[in-house]
Amino acid sequence: MERHGAAGNARRARWNLGFGLVAALVLIGVLLSVPGDGQARGCGGARVTGWRPDDAMTAELTRYGNDNARLDDWTGGDGTRSVRLPDGRTLWMSADTFLDEVHGGKSRDPGAVWVRNSGLVMSAQGRFERTLLGGTAQRPAALFPGTAAGDGREVWRWPVQSVVEPRRPGSAEQVVRVLLWQREKGEPPWIFGVPRASEVATFSLPDLRLESIDTVYAPQHTDVERRVLYGTSAITRDGWTYVFGADEGSVGGKASRAHVARVPQGRLDEPGAWEFWGGDGTARPSAGARGRAAGWQRDPAKSTPILVGRTEQRGATGTYTVVRRGDSWLLLTMDAGGPDGGGITDVVSYWACAPTGPWHGPSAVAQPPLPPGGARYGAVPYNPQGHAEFGADGGELLLSYDVNVMRSPSAIHQDVSLYRPRFLRLETGPARGPGASG
């Protein structure tokens, strides 16, 4: 009897040890596969509950653009993004930028000077004050200079999202890092350029002097549509900067594949510090394909798209925006691949509890109004961007959107409002609750 009891105890001990090992392995697997930082379990989600035009912000940029006190500053552009500086000013980034005189607050000369990029400085009181450019007053040039490909084709830089971070981890000195998309001239359908690299520019503070430009990632994919550029949005949280990107899928009229990377604060300009989301390990590889590593990966080639939308045909464009709302992540985009071509006019939203998803949606947000007469010219809205520094946490959100006329380029000179950003105020709330959907 005693011998039998001892044997039973031994078996139970072995079973407990085995169960403990299995449990430990499962726990390790979970810890390796979940996104970790940036995740809010059981979050309430986020959605847009209403909107109205922000006429005051649109009017302020109109005032600045029409002011002919200087003829080497911004009169129109797109690619609109912003970052709040430590002293209360706001640095805005603009991609293709027109300069020169505006006649009667309405038109500019067809041959007006333009550059590939610029910066705009807004005072702490909300007044646009100056344009950041390269070159000289007599010969203005892009803030971020371009170059040429080996065969002489133009290579330019478009600024995307910016962040303020320590110069190096733990440093008391802060700098501005501006993410850039490097592109080169291409043939249709690549009329907006062939993607070449994601870069990071560093500005000193408070004088906003451009110090350096560093390449952090150069996509190698032979299929141009699959080349990913990072920086359409960037959010700092829990010691990491999460940098969102996308491939060129929306060039063909469908959704782009969204991607996300993360970088420790203070190291955004260091390519070796970047990590790329490789998925949660639940996706089944296609027949004959090797399984992919899950979690955060150093190798950018192992980045796995974060599915935004229920299918790959409908989701985000390549210029979506992500903001934090309460305990959740809110993504806003033109409705790429939307039914009946609605994506060209409609902003929709998705939400997630972590930057890696899963993303829920789409939910309708708004049909951004065009400038007066814009519909007659065939103007279109695009590039919706959230500016979280201009709204209360979890409440209102400032959203910009760009306007352009693709089929009649001369229209944007006849009416300068047809190539300027406009603004909305969005009301946001939890996605889960009475009346919520998505």
Side-chain angles (χ1 to χ4, degrees):
M1 185 75 174
E2 183 179 348
R3 190 167 56 247
H4 179 79
N9 288 337
R11 283 195 300 272
R12 284 193 296 273
R14 287 195 298 271
W15 187 90
N16 288 336
L17 178 60
F19 179 81
L21 288 172
V22 170
L25 290 173
V26 169
L27 178 60
I28 290 171
V30 169
L31 290 174
L32 289 174
S33 63
V34 299
D37 300 294
Q39 177 152 4
R41 294 188 178 277
C43 70
R47 67 187 180 107
V48 176
T49 58
W51 65 273
R52 68 183 186 276
D54 190 324
D55 296 330
M57 184 66 82
T58 300
E60 170 55 23
L61 192 52
T62 298
R63 176 204 64 78
Y64 181 75
N66 291 346
D67 183 353
N68 292 321
R70 296 181 63 102
L71 301 183
D72 62 343
D73 59 358
W74 188 99
T75 65
D78 66 356
T80 315
R81 291 169 174 85
S82 67
V83 63
R84 182 63 50 82
L85 303 180
D87 60 9
R89 294 177 299 165
T90 304
L91 175 63
W92 295 77
M93 284 292 137
S94 183
D96 290 347
T97 300
F98 281 101
L99 311 175
D100 273 350
E101 184 176 3
V102 174
H103 305 294
K106 181 68 175 177
S107 64
R108 68 170 70 87
D109 294 333
V113 173
W114 71 280
V115 294
R116 281 295 190 184
N117 55 72
S118 67
L120 293 169
V121 181
M122 174 184 271
S123 71
Q125 291 72 41
R127 184 177 177 85
F128 287 100
E129 293 184 327
R130 64 187 177 113
T131 300
L132 303 180
L133 295 166
T136 65
Q138 291 72 36
R139 299 196 62 176
L143 176 61
F144 307 105
T147 180
D151 59 3
R153 284 179 298 165
E154 180 194 8
V155 175
W156 67 87
R157 293 176 167 112
W158 279 339
V160 278
Q161 191 57 53
S162 307
V163 298
V164 174
E165 67 172 9
R167 182 176 288 278
R168 286 291 170 255
S171 172
E173 181 186 6
Q174 292 183 301
V175 295
V176 181
R177 311 275 195 204
V178 181
L179 288 138
L180 307 172
W181 289 346
Q182 188 188 102
R183 292 178 176 269
E184 69 179 44
K185 185 177 180 180
E187 301 298 327
W190 309 108
I191 58 174
F192 298 113
V194 175
R196 286 173 55 106
S198 298
E199 301 174 312
V200 173
T202 298
F203 283 90
S204 59
L205 285 171
D207 57 342
L208 295 173
R209 179 175 58 86
L210 178 59
E211 296 182 341
S212 61
I213 298 177
D214 299 282
T215 298
V216 292
Y217 170 60
Q220 302 299 314
H221 211 298
T222 55
D223 183 353
V224 175
E225 188 177 301
R226 296 293 183 268
R227 294 183 184 176
V228 179
L229 293 180
Y230 288 90
T232 188
S233 203
I235 296 178
T236 299
R237 182 170 176 80
D238 298 330
W240 296 90
T241 297
Y242 293 90
V243 186
F244 294 86
D247 68 11
E248 303 289 297
S250 52
V251 169
K254 52 185 182 295
S256 289
R257 293 162 185 82
H259 291 251
V260 64
R262 69 177 187 178
V263 192
Q265 275 187 277
R267 303 183 66 187
L268 196 63
D269 62 335
E270 298 179 36
W274 283 57
E275 298 178 356
F276 303 83
W277 180 243
D280 61 8
T282 61
R284 301 177 65 179
S286 58
R290 297 181 179 178
R292 299 177 65 91
W296 295 102
Q297 304 292 317
R298 292 287 190 183
D299 183 358
K302 294 180 179 178
S303 179
T304 296
I306 51 175
L307 183 62
V308 177
R310 295 183 176 90
T311 71
E312 290 189 357
Q313 297 301 314
R314 186 180 185 188
T317 68
T319 55
Y320 61 93
T321 185
V322 180
V323 296
R324 289 279 302 173
R325 293 284 90 183
D327 59 3
S328 306
W329 302 72
L330 179 66
L331 184 152
L332 298 130
T333 178
M334 303 308 292
D335 192 8
D340 303 322
I344 200 170
T345 59
D346 297 354
V347 178
V348 296
S349 69
Y350 299 82
W351 65 268
C353 293
T356 55
W359 293 90
H360 308 274
S363 295
V365 173
Q367 288 189 349
L370 295 171
R376 183 176 71 253
Y377 287 103
V380 294
Y382 61 103
N383 186 38
Q385 290 294 318
H387 306 273
E389 63 270 34
F390 290 94
D393 289 343
E396 288 192 340
L397 173 68
L398 180 68
L399 185 82
S400 67
Y401 59 98
D402 296 326
V403 177
N404 201 349
V405 180
M406 301 303 299
R407 68 188 187 201
S408 178
S410 63
I412 65 175
H413 300 305
Q414 297 170 30
D415 184 347
V416 293
S417 72
L418 298 179
Y419 192 60
R420 284 178 175 173
R422 303 177 73 80
F423 297 89
L424 303 179
R425 283 280 173 179
L426 306 183
E427 298 171 9
T428 64
R432 293 170 172 163
S437 63

